[in-house]
Amino acid sequence: MKIFPAIDIKDKKCVRLIKGDFEKKTEYDMSPVEQASKYKDHGFKNLHIVDLDGALTGETVNLDIIEEIVSKFDLKIEIGGGVRNFESIKKYNDTGVEKVILGSAAIKDKNFLKEACEKFPNKIALGLDAKDGYLSVSGWKENSNKLTLDYLKEVNDCGTSRLIYTDINRDGMKQSPNFEETVKVANTSSCPVIISGGVSSIDDIKKAKELKNKNIEGIIVGKAIYDGDIKLDELVKELDA
């Protein structure tokens, strides 16, 4: 089970949102680079980064921060947030990140997802963010009217190398991930799945591992780390347990 500590960047700072709501934002003192260093020092190998400025603008706003993190630390990084064209994918890919996450742009245009997977083989991750079973787009502000599993079946042959499934109702709430729905997604997906949204304690990590679903690759942990509910010394032990 891979564990992806999370860094969400807004205005050059580490932040966390409640259910993706920019009005419900908590800022933290440690910079994104300092936070990445902390994760590296504790022994984590993977990192999940979201450029929230990018999600709002559709531009690679914090590319310089991503470049600095990649160059300083030997971490496998997946990066997302407003990636809507091939130019943005190339910019991130050129930094040396492991995966570039496509969300709204892929949901709105399946051909864009397919072409991206062809142009950047094994580099594209698909971010599916759902609320009450339906996919949300545009920074979670719009309902796409597409059922998650229906859309997934339509794009299963596009060549996506990883899928990140987030239950928006759980995100930032620390009420445990939606394991039941994630398992359905994993059983439908043709590529490995990452659990996202709602991790509240080390017990959630243990439960994810107990699922023993071969298609569930890992889990993202964010707010519970920043708020001190999960200690990094405790969390890193789950990598080798």
Side-chain angles (χ1 to χ4, degrees):
M1 177 69 66
K2 294 178 181 177
I3 296 175
F4 293 77
I7 294 177
D8 286 5
I9 305 172
K10 180 80 174 69
D11 302 323
K12 306 297 181 185
K13 298 177 180 177
C14 288
V15 305
R16 299 304 296 172
L17 308 181
I18 301 293
K19 297 184 181 180
D21 189 342
F22 285 87
E23 299 300 317
K24 298 176 181 176
K25 179 182 71 174
T26 303
E27 291 184 355
Y28 298 91
D29 293 333
M30 197 168 282
S31 75
V33 175
E34 290 169 335
Q35 190 68 31
S37 176
K38 189 176 177 182
Y39 291 147
K40 173 65 178 176
D41 289 346
H42 275 81
F44 291 96
K45 299 176 176 65
N46 296 280
L47 184 59
H48 174 83
I49 302 179
V50 177
D51 181 348
L52 292 173
D53 297 297
L56 290 172
T57 64
E59 305 292 336
T60 54
V61 177
N62 292 296
L63 183 66
D64 58 331
I65 294 177
I66 308 305
E67 288 174 333
E68 186 174 355
I69 291 173
V70 172
S71 66
K72 284 187 173 181
F73 314 113
D74 182 22
L75 292 165
K76 293 181 178 178
I77 296 168
E78 57 179 31
I79 171 73
V83 183
R84 296 168 194 165
N85 52 57
F86 298 126
E87 182 184 3
S88 293
I89 298 173
K90 186 178 186 304
K91 283 180 181 178
Y92 281 135
N93 189 52
D94 288 348
T95 68
V97 298
E98 185 189 28
K99 307 283 183 188
V100 180
I101 305 165
L102 302 185
S104 300
I107 294 167
K108 291 178 178 180
D109 184 356
K110 289 178 285 188
N111 287 329
F112 173 62
L113 173 64
K114 190 168 185 178
E115 284 186 46
C117 291
E118 290 170 354
K119 288 178 184 287
F120 303 93
N122 205 39
K123 285 289 186 176
I124 302 300
L126 175 62
L128 296 184
D129 308 321
K131 193 171 186 178
D132 304 321
Y134 288 88
L135 293 174
S136 290
V137 293
S138 303
W140 298 356
K141 291 179 176 65
E142 298 175 27
N143 187 326
S144 69
N145 295 315
K146 294 181 180 179
L147 285 166
T148 303
L149 296 181
D150 287 351
Y151 170 80
L152 183 52
K153 289 170 186 173
E154 292 173 7
V155 299
N156 251 339
D157 61 350
C158 283
T160 309
S161 63
R162 174 180 291 160
L163 192 154
I164 299 146
Y165 175 73
T166 305
D167 185 320
I168 295 170
N169 287 328
R170 307 290 182 103
D171 190 70
M173 297 299 290
K174 297 188 297 188
Q175 295 176 346
S176 296
N178 189 336
F179 290 113
E180 184 180 353
E181 198 64 26
T182 305
V183 167
K184 291 179 184 176
V185 169
N187 289 340
T188 305
S189 175
S190 60
C191 65
V193 174
I194 305 292
I195 302 168
S196 171
V199 172
S200 60
S201 70
I202 210 74
D203 289 339
D204 287 331
I205 309 301
K206 294 179 187 296
K207 185 171 180 180
K209 293 166 75 171
E210 288 167 3
L211 292 173
K212 295 192 182 338
N213 188 304
K214 292 180 180 178
N215 214 26
I216 293 180
E217 181 183 18
I219 189 165
I220 294 168
V221 189
K223 199 169 192 298
I225 292 174
Y226 289 88
D227 291 352
D229 298 293
I230 293 179
K231 306 299 182 189
L232 291 179
D233 289 340
E234 186 182 19
L235 183 61
V236 77
K237 290 176 184 175
E238 294 301 319
L239 288 175
D240 305 312

